[in-house]
Amino acid sequence: MDQGFVKFRQSSGSTSTSKPLPTLTEALNAAFSPHGEKKPHIHDFILESRDLILTYLLLQIGFLFAFTVLHWGRRVQSWRRGRKKRFRLDFDSELAKSSPDGAEATFNHYGCYGLAVGDLPPSTGAVRGIPHCPKIPNLEPEEQIPLLSRAEIDSSWIPPRRLLIIRRQLKAWLVYQPKPIPFFNKTLPSNGTSITILVLIGIELFYSFYNVHLSIPTIVVFADRTGLLFVANLPLLYLLAAKNQPIKLLTGYSYEALNIFHRRLGEIMVLLGLIHAVGMFVEWYTILRPNGYNLTEYLSHEIIIWGICALVAYELLYVTSLGSFRQRRYELFLGLHIILQTLALLFLWFHHGRSRQFVYASLAIFLVDRFVYRMGLKKRIAKGMLEVKDDQDTVVLRARWSKPAGKQHRRWNHFLSHDIRAGWKATDHVFVTVPCLSPKHSLQAHPFTIASRAPRAGDTELDLELIIRKHDGFSKHLLHYAKENKENGHPLQIKLDGPYGSQSAVHLLQESNISIIIAGGSGIAVTWPLVWSAIDAIHSDASKRNADPEDEISPSDTPKKILFIWIVRNSSNLSWIGSDKLECLRSMPGVNIVIPPATAHNGHPDLRTIITSWISSVVAKPVSALDVRSQSNAAGKKIGIVCSGPDALNRTVRNLCSLLLSQGQLDVSVEIEKFGW
């Protein structure tokens, strides 16, 4: 900092014999030691802040490592459970072949495979210590003895009731989402997300005030510290905003889940930048002004000019990123976001030399994500068709192409440059550009969730569908274009950038015995592929139970149950999917579809009653009567709930899950796919 202010020019009214003005460092050191006593100089405090910021960067890496270990630990556990399940299915098949006629092979609660009670012939025998567990053929006698006794199996892994109650209440509280803030109508996240944000704020406060004694002489140390924290957060801010970034892969969090931290971190950084600027102004007023520096000389210095430019750019970036502005003027928000952040990085580079390493890192992240991946490796051109739906406010964009073969399926190629031609997964989205609308639209890319079923392994023809609701700007122009060219039926050229997305909701449903998928309005674009993804998982499990893979899958072969709820405002919204596809889904074994009457004329449905009644029918026991320590099939089922819709619906579903947890059904998990970008 002191390198920038070596020495201000003397004022024009000064005489040649007047005493020269002190340098900034001399003035600050004089403020620290007004009577000449030996105290640490300002330079020592600045160097201490430089070393402290290094620990802040290490702390960021430590948190990322902890979340990575937590995520992949859960993934390994899920993989081991799936592997164990596949082993059980294979063992069931082999045991059924070797069991006596009419006997039913089961997996009893003692932890071994056996036959139904009363079906064992006298010659079969049993494993010593556990009744009704038959001897397995081709095993030595000592291999028939279980490693754990019945008492050990019954009591060794069941946690105490007090611990389970604490876990249940804690998880219910973390899932709960409070009401919006009154007057401001600001939607709050879940308590768990709020706690994480508060921890982030606490870390910023600690590093801002650590070993800083707030006083007039030390205000420059505090201002310098906040400026350092600002630039140290820049690479993380760009990582959280990037579509192609390692945090999603390492932690498993979706772009939508990380985006809320991107916004909160941006707000914290804007505040840090403002505090830095105010602190530097207070420094001039209390220390430099009494030493002869006027405001004009202070503001005309190069380091101050570039700092003010960077502050204005970041403040404008924040204002134009507010939800109210972003939703009303998305195209303007997108353009200003790119222009302002580019100018802000440039101003910050000129402002101070110590910020340049962070500017380089942030710029590298932006360029790799935006130009190398999104405009280079992942952008493809396709032919699309438009169809206006019955409500006359929605258009469906369809595209069809043949899936490429060969190198596109290599693992390294999938990781580096997997594009939309090779397929997509449920909940993925793409950025769409339609150049034929107007010249300005050829420079815009708008995000839409892929509403069609994800391709399966054997599919060679891929059908992509996007449900686009009319709003201002691009969607309004696209709908108008579709209505004007409705009779032509000519395909239009579109550019697709993607796919992007996270598989957290897919993994949740695959690991759940009971899947509940809820869509509100155009949230069907997210949930429709999810339903089919869950059905594909059912067929995969059921096919392993059947001796002949061509046999028809019956409801008794589907241990997973699915409840699909679609809440629409008007009955014409059902045309987005079509009655044929809905009936096809309704005919799937293990799937229940509930489409309440349209809310425009009948109000909102009672989701709590619908969901709890259905769960009770599946587990054959009232939800409120389930015991967290029970090892029965009723309480032991894992329930996965996914919802995509407006904020009010998302909050209702999240709080319903919190209620289920607090009433005793411990194994409930929820994923919210929120609207907005």
Side-chain angles (χ1 to χ4, degrees), residues 23 27 33 141 148 170 187 192 207 246 258 283-284 298 323 326 336 389 442 484 488 521 593 603 623 663 668:
T23 64
S33 305
L148 296 176
L170 177 60
T187 302
Y207 276 90
L258 293 174
E283 170 208 3
W284 165 81
Y298 184 76
R326 186 176 62 252
L336 289 177
K389 306 310 289 186
S442 62
E484 283 189 340
N488 297 336
I593 298 180
V623 172
Q663 286 186 347
V668 178

Side-chain angles (χ1 to χ4, degrees), residues 34-285:
H35 303 292
E37 63 270 19
K38 292 184 178 180
K39 288 185 178 181
H41 287 181
I42 181 64
H43 188 66
D44 299 327
F45 287 93
I46 299 300
L47 289 179
E48 181 184 6
S49 296
R50 303 288 186 267
D51 296 335
L52 189 64
I53 291 301
L54 292 178
T55 66
Y56 178 73
L57 298 175
L58 292 176
L59 185 64
Q60 289 182 349
I61 297 174
F63 271 103
L64 180 60
F65 178 77
F67 280 106
T68 300
V69 171
L70 185 64
H71 166 66
W72 285 102
R74 289 196 296 258
R75 295 297 301 143
V76 169
Q77 289 181 352
S78 174
W79 175 81
R80 293 179 64 182
R81 286 194 298 265
R83 184 171 177 268
K84 185 177 181 180
K85 182 178 180 180
R86 289 190 296 271
F87 170 77
R88 288 180 177 180
L89 292 173
D90 295 340
F91 197 92
D92 273 336
S93 178
E94 294 296 328
L95 188 61
K97 295 177 182 179
S98 60
S99 61
D101 293 340
E104 180 184 357
T106 62
F107 183 75
N108 58 42
H109 66 280
Y110 295 111
C112 69
Y113 283 88
L115 301 178
V117 179
D119 292 332
L120 286 175
S123 59
T124 304
V127 175
R128 179 157 52 102
I130 301 181
H132 310 304
C133 189
K135 292 182 179 180
I136 303 174
N138 303 323
L139 290 180
E140 298 296 331
E142 58 272 13
E143 294 178 323
Q144 298 277 358
I145 302 175
L147 297 178
L148 296 176
S149 65
R150 171 179 175 177
E152 291 174 317
I153 294 174
D154 287 344
S155 62
S156 61
W157 64 279
I158 302 177
R161 181 178 179 83
R162 183 184 299 273
L163 178 60
L164 287 172
I165 292 176
I166 294 175
R167 287 174 54 191
R168 176 191 63 186
Q169 297 297 334
L170 177 60
K171 187 175 181 181
W173 184 83
L174 291 175
V175 169
Y176 183 80
Q177 182 178 355
K179 296 180 180 180
I181 300 177
F183 183 73
F184 297 100
N185 197 27
K186 177 70 174 179
T187 302
L188 294 175
S190 65
N191 288 334
T193 302
S194 298
I195 290 295
T196 306
I197 295 174
L198 289 176
V199 170
L200 176 62
I201 295 175
I203 293 174
E204 301 294 333
L205 290 174
F206 171 80
Y207 276 90
S208 297
F209 290 97
Y210 177 78
N211 202 24
V212 174
H213 307 285
L214 291 182
S215 61
I216 295 301
T218 59
I219 191 66
V220 64
V221 178
F222 178 66
D224 179 75
R225 183 77 59 79
T226 55
L228 285 174
L229 282 174
F230 179 94
V231 296
N233 280 314
L234 270 177
L236 179 61
L237 182 75
Y238 275 78
L239 273 179
L240 292 173
K243 289 290 184 180
N244 304 280
Q245 42 107 330
I247 297 181
K248 182 179 67 176
L249 175 65
L250 294 175
T251 64
Y253 290 104
S254 65
Y255 171 81
E256 292 76 17
L258 293 174
N259 191 255
I260 185 175
F261 296 105
H262 166 74
R263 294 175 183 172
R264 299 294 86 82
L265 181 61
E267 293 168 355
I268 292 173
M269 290 175 60
V270 167
L271 182 59
L272 288 173
L274 188 61
I275 293 174
H276 173 73
V278 172
M280 288 301 176
F281 179 80
V282 173
E283 170 208 3
W284 165 81
Y285 187 81

Side-chain angles (χ1 to χ4, degrees), residues 103 199 372 599:
V199 170
V372 176
T599 59

Side-chain angles (χ1 to χ4, degrees), residues 366-413:
F366 174 77
L367 292 177
V368 170
D369 174 62
R370 178 71 59 171
F371 294 100
V372 176
Y373 274 96
R374 296 188 56 185
M375 298 187 66
L377 298 176
K378 298 180 78 75
K379 197 160 197 174
R380 296 294 178 262
I381 298 177
K383 295 292 184 180
M385 298 290 294
L386 298 175
E387 178 187 354
V388 180
K389 306 310 289 186
D390 294 348
D391 58 1
Q392 299 300 310
D393 282 334
T394 305
V395 59
V396 173
L397 174 61
R398 294 187 175 90
R400 182 182 177 88
W401 62 85
S402 299
K403 184 177 181 179
K407 295 182 179 180
Q408 290 290 335
H409 299 284
R410 292 180 180 177
R411 286 187 175 272
W412 65 269
N413 193 276

